[in-house]
């Protein structure tokens, strides 16, 4: 969320409640551009960022891969590095050399989309991590959820075999039902839930932290009674800059972890024994 | 002071997974330092463990939002 | 405004005050469309192109590998040839050295034989000379002893016994008997 909007929010809050500080919360992420607070189909700011990110990603990767040279240019080098990371570090190492190729479009789409939408949180004038709105992680997780179940059912040859294959081999008889229930929970409930909420939670919390430091700093600077409070406001701004650098790391890491776990779940569905 | 005690609860609930993830990655770093060639296999195992452990913290986050 | 009436009727929530974790429907639709478009772009254009590039690069690297292997084979052949030549030269040198050693040994042996033969010859001639001188000395000594003893006997007897002694050959016989051990010197002295 950009600074000018923050100040608008702050001023409106001041106008409404006088000289008190409104703590930023989950509410701060709700930001309709077209439509209102109670509109189910309001066109929100994250939607716009999402569309812009798709346009940017599509343009960048299609234009750099249209004419590929064996010796890459600078932009092609960037494309190749990203692709290489997803292809070799994530897909090939986790899924295995046999079947990783057919999942490359999925993994590459997930990684680049999440990465750009995460980094949107610290790009100046955009400053809105799209993935901090839970709708987007849920959509991406649903895709992954459907894909790894379908892949699992296909590779095991039937739903019954797929469910039966969830129990690890070599367990004593009395443990099998317990493990089956646990694995069922893991496959159908815990995995999608954690996949979506990890991305959402990290992005929202990180951005909220930036909001607290920037909004708090602004409030202290503008409404502080003495120089100590104003100094604290400046310190808060300085710390928000540090936290922005930290956010960059978190944003990359979350994109990596989401893609990595997708690859892991796919590898799990493909493997023979489990 | 006003607010929801659910957030306090979530703070407490995050301690355990935090320690757990720290242990997982400490073991992973140790393993890679001892046998760098086993990195790929260890990475998979470490991230699986991390996903499982972090599930607890994430469930806590959900409940912090639900039981406001 | 239209959303105010919707909110009043309670049909639509928009921002869920009670449950902030509920997804916003419009954002989900946008997300699905965005993912679908990007997936289609990547699956149809980016990934095939990149895989083609990977294949080409792998082919190029393999071509380079083949070249390198050929160069290595050539180098190996040259090395083998060189080693073979070196081995031949070493064998030749060893053979020559061995020959020289045997020749030297033969020469030494020959020289030693010659020296030994020479030494034997010298020793033999010395022996023969000594023998001859010894026998001549013995012969002259025998005559001398005979004459001396006859002289002694003549002085004891008082007349010359030379003729008689010569005639009878007494001295010779005695000496012969003495040499043959028929009588001993001790008996003579007694």
């Amino acid at each position: 969320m950009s600074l000018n909007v923050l100040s608008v929010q702050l001023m409106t809050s001041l106008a409404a409640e006088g000289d008190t500080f409104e703590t930023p919360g989950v509410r701060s992420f709700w930001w309709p551009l077209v439509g209102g607070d109670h509109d189910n189909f309001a066109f929100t700011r994250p939607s716009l960022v999402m569309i812009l990110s798709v346009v940017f990603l599509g343009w960048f990767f299609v234009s750099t891969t249209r004419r590929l040279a064996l010796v890459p240019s600078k932009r092609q080098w960037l494309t190749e590095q990203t692709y290489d990371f997803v292809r070799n570090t994530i897909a090939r190492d986790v899924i295995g050399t046999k079947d990783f190729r057919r999942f490359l479009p999925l993994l590459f789409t997930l990684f680049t989309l999440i990465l750009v939408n995460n980094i949107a949180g610290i790009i100046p004038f955009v400053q809105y991590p799209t993935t901090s709105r839970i709708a987007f992680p849920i959509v991406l997780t649903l895709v992954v959820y459907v894909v790894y179940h379908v892949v699992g059912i296909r590779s095991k040859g039937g739903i019954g075999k797929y469910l039966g294959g969830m129990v690890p081999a070599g367990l004593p008889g009395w443990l099998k039902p317990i493990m089956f229930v646990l694995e069922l929970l893991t496959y159908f409930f815990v995995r999608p839930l954690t996949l979506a909420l990890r991305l959402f939670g990290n992005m929202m919390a990180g951005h909220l932290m930036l909001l607290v430091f920037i909004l708090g700093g602004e409030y202290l600077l503008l409404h502080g009674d003495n120089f100590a409070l104003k100094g604290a406001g400046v310190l808060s701004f300085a710390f928000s800059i540090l936290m922005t650098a930290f956010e960059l790391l978190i944003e990359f890491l979350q994109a990596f972890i989401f893609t990595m776990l997708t690859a892991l779940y796919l590898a799990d569905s493909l493997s023979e024994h489990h | 002071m006003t607010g929801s005690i659910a957030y306090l609860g979530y703070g407490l609930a995050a301690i355990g997974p935090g320690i757990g993830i720290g242990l997982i990655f400490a073991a992973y770093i140790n393993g890679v330092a001892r046998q760098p060639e086993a990195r790929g296999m260890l990475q998979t195992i470490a991230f699986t463990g991390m996903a499982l452990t972090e599930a607890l913290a994430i469930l806590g986050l959900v409940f912090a939002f639900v039981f406001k | 405004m239209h959303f105010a009436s919707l909110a009043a009727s309670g049909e639509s929530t928009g921002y869920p005050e009670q449950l902030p974790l509920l997804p916003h429907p419009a954002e989900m639709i946008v997300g699905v469309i965005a993912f679908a478009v990007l997936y289609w772009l990547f699956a149809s254009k980016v990934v095939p192109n990149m895989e083609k590039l990977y294949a080409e690069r792998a082919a190029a690297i393999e071509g380079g590998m083949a070249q390198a292997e050929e160069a290595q084979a050539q180098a190996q052949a040259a090395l083998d040839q060189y080693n073979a030549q070196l081995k031949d030269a070493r064998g030749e040198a060893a053979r020559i050295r061995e020959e020289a050693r045997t020749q030297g040994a033969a020469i030494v042996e020959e020289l030693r034989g010659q020296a030994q033969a020479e030494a034997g010859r010298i020793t033999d001639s010395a022996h023969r000379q000594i023998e001859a001188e010894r026998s001549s000395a013995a012969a002259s000594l025998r005559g001398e002893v005979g004459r001396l003893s006859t002289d002694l006997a003549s002085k004891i007897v008082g007349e010359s016994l030379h003729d008689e002694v010569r005639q009878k050959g007494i001295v010779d016989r005695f000496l012969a008997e003495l040499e043959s051990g028929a009588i001993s010197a001790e008996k003579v002295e007694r």
Side-chain angles (χ1 to χ4, degrees):
Chain A
M1 194 172 278
S2 62
L3 272 178
N4 55 347
V5 175
L6 295 183
S7 56
V8 166
Q9 258 192 355
L10 195 66
M11 275 174 210
T12 51
S13 71
L14 287 177
E17 301 165 31
D19 213 19
T20 55
F21 179 63
E22 192 199 5
T23 321
V26 187
R27 191 77 168 79
S28 312
F29 289 83
W30 168 248
W31 192 354
L33 294 175
V34 179
D37 264 7
H38 299 283
D39 197 341
N40 254 345
F41 294 95
F43 185 72
T44 53
R45 188 172 160 154
S47 302
L48 180 67
V49 176
M50 185 58 134
I51 290 166
L52 287 178
S53 74
V54 169
V55 170
F56 167 75
L57 281 172
W59 165 76
F60 183 82
F61 282 107
V62 170
S63 71
T64 48
T65 53
R66 184 168 290 154
R67 279 184 299 277
L68 285 169
L70 273 183
V71 181
S73 64
K74 263 184 189 171
R75 277 173 61 204
Q76 193 189 325
W77 181 84
L78 187 66
T79 306
E80 274 181 22
Q81 288 298 303
T82 319
Y83 189 77
D84 209 60
F85 180 72
V86 176
R87 183 187 192 265
N88 295 343
T89 310
I90 297 175
R92 198 181 58 192
D93 284 4
V94 175
I95 299 177
T97 46
K98 204 169 59 129
D99 331 85
F100 79 99
R101 268 170 227 276
R102 59 188 166 121
F103 299 113
L104 279 178
L106 175 71
L107 294 174
F108 192 51
T109 311
L110 282 175
F111 181 75
T112 50
L113 195 64
I114 294 172
L115 186 65
V116 167
N117 279 299
N118 284 354
I119 288 179
I122 59 168
I123 296 173
F125 307 113
V126 179
Q127 281 173 310
Y128 195 113
T130 322
T131 42
S132 65
R133 289 290 294 168
I134 193 156
F136 299 106
I138 283 179
V139 165
L140 298 177
T141 304
L142 275 179
V143 172
V144 173
Y145 186 68
V146 171
V147 167
Y148 83 74
H149 278 306
V150 168
V151 165
I153 290 167
R154 271 196 194 162
S155 75
K156 300 288 191 300
I159 296 175
K161 280 183 186 169
Y162 179 56
L163 294 179
M166 283 178 183
V167 183
L171 278 180
W174 59 271
L175 208 60
K176 273 182 181 170
I178 302 171
M179 279 309 286
F180 180 72
V181 172
L182 278 179
E183 290 287 316
L184 210 64
L185 271 177
T186 305
Y187 271 74
F188 287 95
F189 183 66
V190 176
R191 276 185 178 184
L193 193 75
T194 54
L195 198 60
L197 286 172
R198 178 181 299 114
L199 182 58
F200 158 74
N202 273 290
M203 284 305 106
M204 194 203 68
H207 202 62
L208 205 57
M209 184 173 61
L210 287 184
L211 278 186
V212 167
F213 278 114
I214 294 172
L215 277 177
E218 192 177 18
Y219 185 80
L220 285 172
L221 203 60
L222 293 180
H223 302 280
D225 291 331
N226 49 40
F227 280 106
L229 284 179
K230 285 188 195 298
V234 174
L235 207 67
S236 173
F237 273 128
F239 201 70
S240 72
I241 292 167
L242 195 75
M243 278 293 123
T244 304
F246 181 66
E247 271 304 289
L248 183 63
L249 177 72
I250 297 284
E251 280 155 1
F252 173 77
L253 206 65
Q254 286 308 315
F256 169 64
I257 286 176
F258 193 98
T259 321
M260 177 92 182
L261 285 175
T262 303
L264 249 171
Y265 297 159
L266 285 171
D268 216 20
S269 298
L270 283 168
S271 67
E272 298 295 321
H273 59 277
H274 195 64
Chain B
M1 185 180 263
T2 56
S4 172
I5 201 158
Y7 296 136
L8 199 64
Y10 175 59
L12 290 174
I15 296 173
I19 295 171
I21 288 172
L23 287 177
I24 287 169
F25 279 95
Y28 167 63
I29 292 165
N30 265 330
V32 173
R34 283 191 189 176
Q35 274 185 305
E37 69 274 10
R39 188 169 181 274
M41 203 169 61
L42 288 177
Q43 195 175 37
T44 312
I45 298 169
F47 275 99
T48 318
M50 189 214 69
L52 272 177
T53 316
E54 213 178 40
L56 300 172
I58 288 165
L59 289 177
L61 179 74
V62 175
F63 290 136
F65 276 116
V66 170
F67 303 125
K68 259 180 117 168
Chain C
M1 284 183 278
H2 68 285
F3 60 82
S5 59
L6 279 175
S9 67
E11 281 174 25
S12 199
T13 47
Y15 177 73
E17 287 287 353
Q18 293 305 310
L19 280 172
L21 280 189
L22 281 185
H24 186 59
E27 287 177 349
M28 286 185 80
I29 293 166
V30 170
V32 169
I33 293 169
F35 182 85
V37 168
L38 200 65
Y39 183 84
W40 172 76
L41 270 180
F42 281 2
S44 65
K45 292 200 166 63
V46 176
V47 172
N49 280 347
M50 287 304 288
E51 285 302 310
K52 213 169 76 187
L53 179 77
Y54 269 77
E56 277 173 18
R57 203 166 279 173
I61 290 169
E62 268 166 21
M65 296 269 274
Q67 258 181 357
E69 264 170 25
E70 197 180 325
Q72 206 167 14
Q74 279 178 355
Q76 188 62 42
L79 187 68
D80 284 350
Q81 199 182 351
Y82 167 76
N83 274 339
Q85 282 176 354
L86 197 68
K87 203 174 157 193
D88 281 0
R90 279 216 183 105
E92 182 80 4
R95 200 177 54 72
I96 290 168
R97 217 181 294 135
E98 191 61 29
E99 207 169 288
R101 194 181 294 141
T102 48
Q103 273 184 0
I107 289 166
V108 166
E109 199 58 38
E110 194 184 341
L111 284 174
R112 188 179 288 151
Q114 280 180 1
Q116 267 175 358
E118 186 72 11
R121 201 177 51 74
I122 290 168
T123 316
D124 276 358
S125 70
H127 276 166
R128 270 200 299 278
Q129 206 172 341
I130 288 165
E131 189 61 33
E133 278 180 8
R134 194 183 65 83
S135 56
S136 75
S140 70
L141 205 63
R142 188 177 285 186
E144 196 71 12
V145 166
R147 198 176 49 81
L148 211 63
S149 52
T150 311
D151 279 355
L152 278 170
S154 303
K155 277 179 183 163
I156 292 163
V157 176
E159 61 183 280
S160 179
L161 287 173
H162 282 284
D163 289 343
E164 208 173 339
V165 168
R166 205 176 296 132
Q167 281 169 0
K168 289 177 183 175
I170 292 168
V171 175
D172 283 344
R173 202 175 60 230
F174 172 74
L175 282 173
E177 278 173 1
L178 191 69
E179 280 178 356
S180 65
I183 54 169
S184 67
E186 272 181 313
K187 282 181 181 171
V188 176
E189 274 175 18
R190 195 179 283 168

